[in-house]
Every structure is written in C-alpha cells, then in structure tokens.
Amino acid sequence: MPSSTPAEPEPPMKDEADQPLTLAVLRQLVRTQWAGLPGTTLVVLSRDAEGNGYSPFSTYARERYAPVYEHSGETYPLESQLAEDPELRALFAEIPDNAVAALVLYPLG
C-alpha cells in the first residue's frame, strides 16, 4: 500500500502574510529554494534595535549585507533587483563595496 505524505506548505517570501514558519518549512527551504546557493552564502538574522526579545522565523529575502559595526550592519538589494527597478536604484544609489550576497531571515511581526 503506497504511503501518502501531506503536501508541504509553500514558504512565504518577505512581505507576504506574516506567519511563523515550522521546522518542516525550514527543511523544505533548505532542500528547494536555497539548495542552489553557494555554501559560503552568509546568513543574516534581523533583530530589534536593542537586541532584545525573541520571535519566530517568518520570512526571508536574498539581499546584500554590509557590516557597519563588528557584528551588525545593513542590507541592500541585489544588483539584479536594482537593474529591474529604477526607483529602487535611485533609493540605493550607493552601496558599500564590502556588501556581500546574503540570505536574510526576518522574524514574525
């Protein structure tokens, strides 16, 4: 008798409805959406300004990250995103030379 498996939930992208993601969804993201990323891709976590509190992982984005201080920095759009959107290009006219491609994880809320 064939076993049935539940359909895997679709992972939301950044700016979609906020909902906490489960370990099952995280595993799916690693196997599918992120499988082609180089192993050297930096993973950046978003946090509140004070570094306090905890929130479930909710959304993610492919961006660039540049450190401002030793362990914190800013994110910037990828070059491909800037090429597609002139308004975004104008908003981010200068991006630091040390910005690297990153997978940015955002908390719920």
Side-chain angles (χ1 to χ4, degrees), residues 34 37 41 60-64 76-78 81 101-104:
W34 304 340
L37 296 176
T41 300
Y60 67 94
R62 297 269 323 274
E63 297 177 352
R64 289 186 280 183
Y76 302 89
L78 296 172
Q81 296 165 325
L103 180 62
V104 182

Side-chain angles (χ1 to χ4, degrees), residues 71-96:
H71 297 292
S72 65
E74 298 291 332
T75 61
Y76 302 89
L78 296 172
E79 186 59 40
S80 59
Q81 296 165 325
L82 295 174
E84 294 173 4
D85 188 340
E87 290 180 18
L88 192 62
R89 168 75 69 188
L91 186 61
F92 291 95
E94 293 187 30
I95 295 177

Side-chain angles (χ1 to χ4, degrees), residues 3-45:
S3 64
S4 62
T5 58
E8 292 185 1
E10 286 294 317
M13 292 290 290
K14 185 174 179 336
D15 298 328
E16 289 188 7
D18 282 347
Q19 61 183 352
L21 297 185
T22 63
L23 182 57
V25 173
L26 183 60
R27 287 177 177 151
Q28 178 191 8
L29 288 167
V30 170
R31 282 194 317 269
T32 60
Q33 302 282 329
W34 304 340
L37 296 176
T40 56
T41 300
L42 185 64
V43 177
V44 176
L45 302 175

Side-chain angles (χ1 to χ4, degrees), residues 44-57:
V44 176
L45 302 175
S46 174
R47 64 173 172 86
D48 65 41
E50 294 81 32
N52 299 316
Y54 300 89
S55 297
F57 166 46

